[in-house]
Amino acid sequence: TRFLGRFGDRIRWVDVRFTDVNGPRGGVDTRSRIEAHIEPLGTVIGQATHETALQAVRAAVDKVTSAATRRIDRLERRRRSLAVG
């Protein structure tokens, strides 16, 4: 949860998986897939492919963080509109 610190108190579980896409052929081939269950958003998924596992996981974390932020913003807008209306 260090990378997803903003959501630390809302994270229930995180699953991180790596795949070597090209096998022994080399190249840009390390895929990271992150699934994070963030309350009240549910499961948020981010996936990225890069040369190294660290680059791939950082990019996937960025995608999870962006997706979670968008979902939270939508929830807050809905709550405000219900409170006003």
Side-chain angles (χ1 to χ4, degrees):
T1 61
R2 188 176 123 232
F3 291 112
L4 299 169
R6 175 179 175 199
F7 305 104
D9 59 334
R10 298 178 184 192
I11 296 172
R12 299 299 169 245
W13 55 261
V14 176
D15 181 45
V16 180
R17 296 176 188 239
F18 293 96
T19 307
D20 185 356
V21 179
N22 292 329
R25 292 178 289 183
V28 179
D29 67 346
T30 302
R31 180 176 296 138
S32 174
R33 177 182 168 91
I34 298 175
E35 293 185 35
H37 188 82
I38 304 171
E39 294 295 334
L41 308 175
T43 302
V44 181
I45 299 171
Q47 181 172 286
T49 303
H50 283 277
E51 250 182 68
T52 69
L54 183 58
Q55 290 171 324
V57 77
R58 284 182 174 164
V61 165
D62 288 345
K63 291 181 180 184
V64 168
T65 302
S66 294
T69 300
R70 283 192 307 273
R71 286 189 192 182
I72 286 173
D73 290 346
R74 279 195 302 263
L75 283 174
E76 289 174 356
R77 281 195 305 270
R78 283 185 196 141
R79 285 184 189 143
R80 283 193 301 268
S81 69
L82 291 174
V84 172

